[in-house]
Amino acid sequence: MAIQIPTELLDGSVLGILNHGDYYGYALTQKIQADFPISESTMYPVLRRLKKNNYLTTYDEPYRGRNRRYYKITQAGKVRLAEIQAEWITFKNRIDKLVSRGDLNE
């Protein structure tokens, strides 16, 4: 895919996945990478920023002698996800109109 995913949509994608359950960092990255060509070095700053903004919390769980850091959406993250979803619907509808008909005033 040649179109770059904007930060807001990447945030929304992460929050959307976590809205269905907690994930550890690598598994979350793999889930995003299944649809978008992004690197791990892109994902971890996104996760840190979302945590800093109180949209995520973290907790560690032991796994085979190591700890996995899990990410969990917060109530503030759910509110932010709803905002991104609403913005996305408006944006998507406008793009769909432009691409299919070329006129936003219909």
Side-chain angles (χ1 to χ4, degrees):
M1 175 181 255
I3 298 172
Q4 296 286 320
I5 183 169
T7 301
E8 291 293 313
L9 294 181
L10 186 54
D11 289 358
S13 297
V14 169
L15 293 171
I17 291 168
L18 293 174
N19 198 40
H20 296 283
D22 303 353
Y23 277 82
Y24 64 95
Y26 181 74
L28 182 58
T29 299
Q30 293 296 306
K31 190 142 180 85
I32 295 287
Q33 286 177 331
D35 292 306
F36 299 108
I38 62 167
S39 67
E40 285 183 50
S41 63
T42 299
M43 279 299 297
Y44 286 100
V46 170
L47 293 170
R48 281 193 298 273
R49 181 172 33 76
L50 290 171
K51 185 178 178 191
K52 179 182 173 193
N53 291 332
N54 297 313
Y55 299 143
L56 304 178
T57 60
T58 60
Y59 61 92
D60 293 338
E61 290 284 331
Y63 178 79
R64 296 185 182 177
R66 298 180 61 188
N67 277 336
R68 283 184 170 169
R69 173 144 301 155
Y70 283 81
Y71 294 87
K72 179 181 180 80
I73 192 169
T74 63
Q75 188 58 41
K78 291 179 181 191
V79 170
R80 183 63 190 130
L81 174 59
E83 292 168 352
I84 292 170
Q85 288 169 330
E87 292 169 9
W88 170 250
I89 290 168
T90 301
F91 180 79
K92 179 189 175 304
N93 289 339
R94 288 177 180 226
I95 293 297
D96 286 347
K97 285 180 182 179
L98 285 172
V99 170
S100 64
R101 288 178 275 205
D103 184 6
L104 282 176
N105 296 319
E106 290 183 16

